Amino acid sequence: MSNLTFGIIKPDAVAKGHTGKIIDRILSNGFKIRGMKLIHQTKKNAEGFYAVHAERPFFGELTEFMSSGPCVVLALEKEGAVKAWRDLMGATNPAEAAEGTLRKDFAGSIGENAVHGSDSDENAAIEIAYFFSKLELV
Ligand code: CMP
């Protein structure tokens, strides 16, 4: 089990001014921030990131949304980071997200769901490398 995962504070949460509150929750839940930057993705960049979902009916909507405004990309460290970050985020659909999770508190819909997290150690490494250079990881 790796101690790193990748996260995004998505454009909906950044636009609504939730960035600081989400970072506070990340830190108070015991994560160390190893990498962090505010970026505005191009549609092509978002399509590359979500390539595994290319055949899904919501791919256009998803990549349009993810390139619609600034987001914060994060490399997070904690023991069992992938599961710990998914637990803190809550269910993909905010209607199903448990009390105390970020999606329960900040997400509006399954598409605009405030945060992203890697689903495995392998994908965490790929996703961190997609957005961060070595110099940007402390
Ligand atoms: P994320 O964890 O970023 O990975 C893929 C994303 O696709 C997911 O979060 C959702 O925001 C989005 N997604 C999943 N299902 C749907 C759907 N039915 N309609 C729109 N977006 C979806």
Side-chain angles (χ1 to χ4, degrees):
M1 188 192 297
S2 160
N3 56 3
L4 281 179
T5 193
F6 173 76
I8 304 179
I9 304 174
K10 293 189 181 184
D12 58 320
V14 173
K16 289 179 190 155
H18 294 320
T19 303
K21 284 171 274 184
I22 292 173
I23 289 171
D24 190 46
R25 295 269 286 272
I26 288 169
L27 295 173
S28 64
N29 277 272
F31 291 89
K32 275 189 189 155
I33 297 176
R34 299 280 308 278
M36 175 164 71
K37 57 187 176 180
L38 181 70
I39 62 168
H40 189 156
Q41 294 193 78
T42 61
K43 187 139 190 297
K44 267 208 162 14
N45 202 84
E47 285 167 357
F49 179 70
Y50 280 116
V52 291
H53 295 304
E55 303 307 320
R56 304 278 192 106
F58 56 81
F59 184 65
E61 186 189 325
L62 172 64
T63 54
E64 197 70 51
F65 163 61
M66 290 302 288
S67 57
S68 68
C71 68
V72 176
V73 288
L74 298 155
L76 301 173
E77 181 179 358
K78 187 179 178 174
E79 206 178 315
V82 166
K83 181 174 187 306
W85 176 230
R86 293 180 75 79
D87 287 349
L88 179 58
M89 288 194 300
T92 304
N93 184 349
E96 293 161 11
E99 292 292 335
T101 63
L102 295 173
R103 284 173 172 152
K104 175 76 182 180
D105 294 341
F106 301 115
S109 67
I110 191 165
E112 304 202 359
N113 62 354
V115 282
H116 164 84
S118 307
D119 61 5
S120 65
D121 290 349
E122 189 191 10
N123 283 334
I126 292 168
E127 293 177 359
I128 288 170
Y130 191 80
F131 286 102
F132 291 101
S133 70
K134 280 223 166 75
L135 204 62
E136 293 170 326
L137 296 167
V138 299

PDB file of all heavy atoms in Angstrom, residues 3-5 31-36 74-78 128 132 134-138:
ATOM      1  N   ASN A   3       1.628   5.420   0.222  1.00  0.00           N
ATOM      2  CA  ASN A   3       1.145   6.477   1.110  1.00  0.00           C
ATOM      3  C   ASN A   3       0.847   7.775   0.360  1.00  0.00           C
ATOM      4  O   ASN A   3       0.707   8.828   0.955  1.00  0.00           O
ATOM      5  CB  ASN A   3       2.151   6.731   2.242  1.00  0.00           C
ATOM      6  CG  ASN A   3       3.523   7.050   1.709  1.00  0.00           C
ATOM      7  OD1 ASN A   3       3.718   7.138   0.500  1.00  0.00           O
ATOM      8  ND2 ASN A   3       4.473   7.235   2.592  1.00  0.00           N
ATOM      9  N   LEU A   4       0.741   7.682  -0.977  1.00  0.00           N
ATOM     10  CA  LEU A   4       0.438   8.863  -1.778  1.00  0.00           C
ATOM     11  C   LEU A   4      -0.838   8.678  -2.579  1.00  0.00           C
ATOM     12  O   LEU A   4      -1.117   7.586  -3.072  1.00  0.00           O
ATOM     13  CB  LEU A   4       1.570   9.152  -2.774  1.00  0.00           C
ATOM     14  CG  LEU A   4       2.828   9.836  -2.282  1.00  0.00           C
ATOM     15  CD1 LEU A   4       3.804   9.988  -3.437  1.00  0.00           C
ATOM     16  CD2 LEU A   4       2.542  11.196  -1.651  1.00  0.00           C
ATOM     17  N   THR A   5      -1.594   9.760  -2.710  1.00  0.00           N
ATOM     18  CA  THR A   5      -2.712   9.744  -3.654  1.00  0.00           C
ATOM     19  C   THR A   5      -2.775  11.091  -4.365  1.00  0.00           C
ATOM     20  O   THR A   5      -2.060  12.031  -4.017  1.00  0.00           O
ATOM     21  CB  THR A   5      -4.053   9.407  -2.973  1.00  0.00           C
ATOM     22  OG1 THR A   5      -5.021   9.119  -3.994  1.00  0.00           O
ATOM     23  CG2 THR A   5      -4.568  10.534  -2.087  1.00  0.00           C
ATOM     24  N   PHE A  31      -3.635  14.508   6.420  1.00  0.00           N
ATOM     25  CA  PHE A  31      -2.861  14.416   5.181  1.00  0.00           C
ATOM     26  C   PHE A  31      -1.760  15.470   5.187  1.00  0.00           C
ATOM     27  O   PHE A  31      -1.950  16.584   5.691  1.00  0.00           O
ATOM     28  CB  PHE A  31      -3.756  14.675   3.955  1.00  0.00           C
ATOM     29  CG  PHE A  31      -4.764  13.604   3.694  1.00  0.00           C
ATOM     30  CD1 PHE A  31      -6.020  13.657   4.286  1.00  0.00           C
ATOM     31  CD2 PHE A  31      -4.466  12.546   2.844  1.00  0.00           C
ATOM     32  CE1 PHE A  31      -6.966  12.669   4.043  1.00  0.00           C
ATOM     33  CE2 PHE A  31      -5.400  11.557   2.598  1.00  0.00           C
ATOM     34  CZ  PHE A  31      -6.650  11.620   3.196  1.00  0.00           C
ATOM     35  N   LYS A  32      -0.622  15.107   4.559  1.00  0.00           N
ATOM     36  CA  LYS A  32       0.422  16.085   4.257  1.00  0.00           C
ATOM     37  C   LYS A  32       0.281  16.453   2.794  1.00  0.00           C
ATOM     38  O   LYS A  32       0.112  15.565   1.946  1.00  0.00           O
ATOM     39  CB  LYS A  32       1.807  15.472   4.456  1.00  0.00           C
ATOM     40  CG  LYS A  32       2.297  15.529   5.868  1.00  0.00           C
ATOM     41  CD  LYS A  32       3.757  15.109   5.888  1.00  0.00           C
ATOM     42  CE  LYS A  32       4.192  14.939   7.330  1.00  0.00           C
ATOM     43  NZ  LYS A  32       5.313  14.006   7.452  1.00  0.00           N
ATOM     44  N   ILE A  33       0.350  17.749   2.496  1.00  0.00           N
ATOM     45  CA  ILE A  33       0.297  18.176   1.097  1.00  0.00           C
ATOM     46  C   ILE A  33       1.716  18.155   0.532  1.00  0.00           C
ATOM     47  O   ILE A  33       2.579  18.910   0.988  1.00  0.00           O
ATOM     48  CB  ILE A  33      -0.347  19.572   0.969  1.00  0.00           C
ATOM     49  CG1 ILE A  33      -1.803  19.503   1.450  1.00  0.00           C
ATOM     50  CG2 ILE A  33      -0.263  20.060  -0.480  1.00  0.00           C
ATOM     51  CD1 ILE A  33      -2.528  20.842   1.458  1.00  0.00           C
ATOM     52  N   ARG A  34       1.947  17.271  -0.432  1.00  0.00           N
ATOM     53  CA  ARG A  34       3.285  17.122  -1.042  1.00  0.00           C
ATOM     54  C   ARG A  34       3.397  17.897  -2.342  1.00  0.00           C
ATOM     55  O   ARG A  34       4.492  18.172  -2.823  1.00  0.00           O
ATOM     56  CB  ARG A  34       3.573  15.643  -1.280  1.00  0.00           C
ATOM     57  CG  ARG A  34       3.594  14.795  -0.009  1.00  0.00           C
ATOM     58  CD  ARG A  34       4.917  14.937   0.711  1.00  0.00           C
ATOM     59  NE  ARG A  34       6.015  14.683  -0.205  1.00  0.00           N
ATOM     60  CZ  ARG A  34       6.460  13.466  -0.546  1.00  0.00           C
ATOM     61  NH1 ARG A  34       5.931  12.397   0.000  1.00  0.00           N
ATOM     62  NH2 ARG A  34       7.438  13.316  -1.395  1.00  0.00           N
ATOM     63  N   GLY A  35       2.240  18.206  -2.950  1.00  0.00           N
ATOM     64  CA  GLY A  35       2.206  19.006  -4.173  1.00  0.00           C
ATOM     65  C   GLY A  35       0.866  19.705  -4.257  1.00  0.00           C
ATOM     66  O   GLY A  35      -0.151  19.119  -3.856  1.00  0.00           O
ATOM     67  N   MET A  36       0.861  20.959  -4.746  1.00  0.00           N
ATOM     68  CA  MET A  36      -0.416  21.683  -4.857  1.00  0.00           C
ATOM     69  C   MET A  36      -0.254  22.822  -5.853  1.00  0.00           C
ATOM     70  O   MET A  36       0.702  23.582  -5.782  1.00  0.00           O
ATOM     71  CB  MET A  36      -0.828  22.251  -3.499  1.00  0.00           C
ATOM     72  CG  MET A  36      -2.082  23.105  -3.554  1.00  0.00           C
ATOM     73  SD  MET A  36      -2.815  23.391  -1.922  1.00  0.00           S
ATOM     74  CE  MET A  36      -1.635  24.499  -1.192  1.00  0.00           C
ATOM     75  N   LEU A  74      -3.640  18.200  -6.393  1.00  0.00           N
ATOM     76  CA  LEU A  74      -2.977  17.908  -5.120  1.00  0.00           C
ATOM     77  C   LEU A  74      -2.298  16.544  -5.126  1.00  0.00           C
ATOM     78  O   LEU A  74      -2.868  15.563  -5.635  1.00  0.00           O
ATOM     79  CB  LEU A  74      -4.028  17.863  -3.998  1.00  0.00           C
ATOM     80  CG  LEU A  74      -4.820  19.133  -3.711  1.00  0.00           C
ATOM     81  CD1 LEU A  74      -6.159  18.770  -3.083  1.00  0.00           C
ATOM     82  CD2 LEU A  74      -4.025  20.046  -2.801  1.00  0.00           C
ATOM     83  N   ALA A  75      -1.112  16.481  -4.557  1.00  0.00           N
ATOM     84  CA  ALA A  75      -0.483  15.193  -4.228  1.00  0.00           C
ATOM     85  C   ALA A  75      -0.524  15.098  -2.703  1.00  0.00           C
ATOM     86  O   ALA A  75       0.012  15.962  -2.001  1.00  0.00           O
ATOM     87  CB  ALA A  75       0.952  15.145  -4.735  1.00  0.00           C
ATOM     88  N   LEU A  76      -1.233  14.070  -2.208  1.00  0.00           N
ATOM     89  CA  LEU A  76      -1.504  13.962  -0.772  1.00  0.00           C
ATOM     90  C   LEU A  76      -0.829  12.739  -0.183  1.00  0.00           C
ATOM     91  O   LEU A  76      -0.884  11.649  -0.767  1.00  0.00           O
ATOM     92  CB  LEU A  76      -3.021  13.858  -0.542  1.00  0.00           C
ATOM     93  CG  LEU A  76      -3.854  15.023  -1.065  1.00  0.00           C
ATOM     94  CD1 LEU A  76      -5.343  14.722  -0.919  1.00  0.00           C
ATOM     95  CD2 LEU A  76      -3.492  16.319  -0.349  1.00  0.00           C
ATOM     96  N   GLU A  77      -0.260  12.918   1.004  1.00  0.00           N
ATOM     97  CA  GLU A  77       0.413  11.809   1.677  1.00  0.00           C
ATOM     98  C   GLU A  77      -0.265  11.469   3.004  1.00  0.00           C
ATOM     99  O   GLU A  77      -0.584  12.358   3.803  1.00  0.00           O
ATOM    100  CB  GLU A  77       1.871  12.183   1.954  1.00  0.00           C
ATOM    101  CG  GLU A  77       2.640  11.060   2.642  1.00  0.00           C
ATOM    102  CD  GLU A  77       4.099  11.415   2.892  1.00  0.00           C
ATOM    103  OE1 GLU A  77       4.535  12.506   2.498  1.00  0.00           O
ATOM    104  OE2 GLU A  77       4.776  10.591   3.502  1.00  0.00           O
ATOM    105  N   LYS A  78      -0.511  10.203   3.190  1.00  0.00           N
ATOM    106  CA  LYS A  78      -1.033   9.684   4.456  1.00  0.00           C
ATOM    107  C   LYS A  78      -0.918   8.165   4.370  1.00  0.00           C
ATOM    108  O   LYS A  78      -0.936   7.607   3.264  1.00  0.00           O
ATOM    109  CB  LYS A  78      -2.502  10.093   4.640  1.00  0.00           C
ATOM    110  CG  LYS A  78      -3.082   9.751   6.001  1.00  0.00           C
ATOM    111  CD  LYS A  78      -4.530  10.207   6.145  1.00  0.00           C
ATOM    112  CE  LYS A  78      -5.048   9.780   7.502  1.00  0.00           C
ATOM    113  NZ  LYS A  78      -6.396  10.297   7.781  1.00  0.00           N
ATOM    114  N   ILE A 128      -0.535  11.613 -10.485  1.00  0.00           N
ATOM    115  CA  ILE A 128       0.423  12.587  -9.943  1.00  0.00           C
ATOM    116  C   ILE A 128       1.417  12.982 -11.048  1.00  0.00           C
ATOM    117  O   ILE A 128       1.691  14.160 -11.269  1.00  0.00           O
ATOM    118  CB  ILE A 128       1.142  12.036  -8.697  1.00  0.00           C
ATOM    119  CG1 ILE A 128       0.177  11.998  -7.508  1.00  0.00           C
ATOM    120  CG2 ILE A 128       2.375  12.891  -8.349  1.00  0.00           C
ATOM    121  CD1 ILE A 128       0.706  11.252  -6.275  1.00  0.00           C
ATOM    122  N   PHE A 132       2.273  16.792 -12.137  1.00  0.00           N
ATOM    123  CA  PHE A 132       3.391  17.366 -11.386  1.00  0.00           C
ATOM    124  C   PHE A 132       4.732  16.904 -11.925  1.00  0.00           C
ATOM    125  O   PHE A 132       4.918  15.725 -12.240  1.00  0.00           O
ATOM    126  CB  PHE A 132       3.303  16.956  -9.907  1.00  0.00           C
ATOM    127  CG  PHE A 132       2.154  17.570  -9.154  1.00  0.00           C
ATOM    128  CD1 PHE A 132       1.004  16.833  -8.902  1.00  0.00           C
ATOM    129  CD2 PHE A 132       2.219  18.884  -8.692  1.00  0.00           C
ATOM    130  CE1 PHE A 132      -0.069  17.388  -8.202  1.00  0.00           C
ATOM    131  CE2 PHE A 132       1.157  19.443  -7.992  1.00  0.00           C
ATOM    132  CZ  PHE A 132       0.019  18.697  -7.748  1.00  0.00           C
ATOM    133  N   LYS A 134       8.889  16.500 -10.939  1.00  0.00           N
ATOM    134  CA  LYS A 134       9.597  16.115  -9.706  1.00  0.00           C
ATOM    135  C   LYS A 134       9.827  17.320  -8.806  1.00  0.00           C
ATOM    136  O   LYS A 134       9.697  17.252  -7.582  1.00  0.00           O
ATOM    137  CB  LYS A 134      10.937  15.454 -10.048  1.00  0.00           C
ATOM    138  CG  LYS A 134      10.811  14.009 -10.447  1.00  0.00           C
ATOM    139  CD  LYS A 134      11.916  13.161  -9.791  1.00  0.00           C
ATOM    140  CE  LYS A 134      11.625  11.680  -9.900  1.00  0.00           C
ATOM    141  NZ  LYS A 134      11.862  11.173 -11.262  1.00  0.00           N
ATOM    142  N   LEU A 135      10.170  18.450  -9.433  1.00  0.00           N
ATOM    143  CA  LEU A 135      10.479  19.682  -8.706  1.00  0.00           C
ATOM    144  C   LEU A 135       9.263  20.213  -7.933  1.00  0.00           C
ATOM    145  O   LEU A 135       9.402  20.911  -6.939  1.00  0.00           O
ATOM    146  CB  LEU A 135      10.914  20.740  -9.734  1.00  0.00           C
ATOM    147  CG  LEU A 135      11.793  21.880  -9.285  1.00  0.00           C
ATOM    148  CD1 LEU A 135      13.122  21.354  -8.782  1.00  0.00           C
ATOM    149  CD2 LEU A 135      12.019  22.842 -10.452  1.00  0.00           C
ATOM    150  N   GLU A 136       8.062  19.855  -8.393  1.00  0.00           N
ATOM    151  CA  GLU A 136       6.839  20.367  -7.762  1.00  0.00           C
ATOM    152  C   GLU A 136       6.331  19.465  -6.641  1.00  0.00           C
ATOM    153  O   GLU A 136       5.314  19.759  -6.030  1.00  0.00           O
ATOM    154  CB  GLU A 136       5.748  20.526  -8.834  1.00  0.00           C
ATOM    155  CG  GLU A 136       6.073  21.613  -9.826  1.00  0.00           C
ATOM    156  CD  GLU A 136       5.139  21.626 -11.013  1.00  0.00           C
ATOM    157  OE1 GLU A 136       4.690  20.548 -11.440  1.00  0.00           O
ATOM    158  OE2 GLU A 136       4.852  22.730 -11.516  1.00  0.00           O
ATOM    159  N   LEU A 137       7.048  18.371  -6.395  1.00  0.00           N
ATOM    160  CA  LEU A 137       6.666  17.457  -5.309  1.00  0.00           C
ATOM    161  C   LEU A 137       7.699  17.590  -4.204  1.00  0.00           C
ATOM    162  O   LEU A 137       8.871  17.313  -4.426  1.00  0.00           O
ATOM    163  CB  LEU A 137       6.608  16.024  -5.828  1.00  0.00           C
ATOM    164  CG  LEU A 137       5.538  15.773  -6.898  1.00  0.00           C
ATOM    165  CD1 LEU A 137       5.753  14.429  -7.573  1.00  0.00           C
ATOM    166  CD2 LEU A 137       4.139  15.843  -6.300  1.00  0.00           C
ATOM    167  N   VAL A 138       7.246  18.013  -3.037  1.00  0.00           N
ATOM    168  CA  VAL A 138       8.232  18.253  -1.965  1.00  0.00           C
ATOM    169  C   VAL A 138       8.297  17.051  -1.025  1.00  0.00           C
ATOM    170  O   VAL A 138       7.412  16.209  -1.004  1.00  0.00           O
ATOM    171  CB  VAL A 138       7.871  19.529  -1.174  1.00  0.00           C
ATOM    172  CG1 VAL A 138       7.890  20.721  -2.112  1.00  0.00           C
ATOM    173  CG2 VAL A 138       6.557  19.399  -0.452  1.00  0.00           C
TER     174      VAL A 138
END
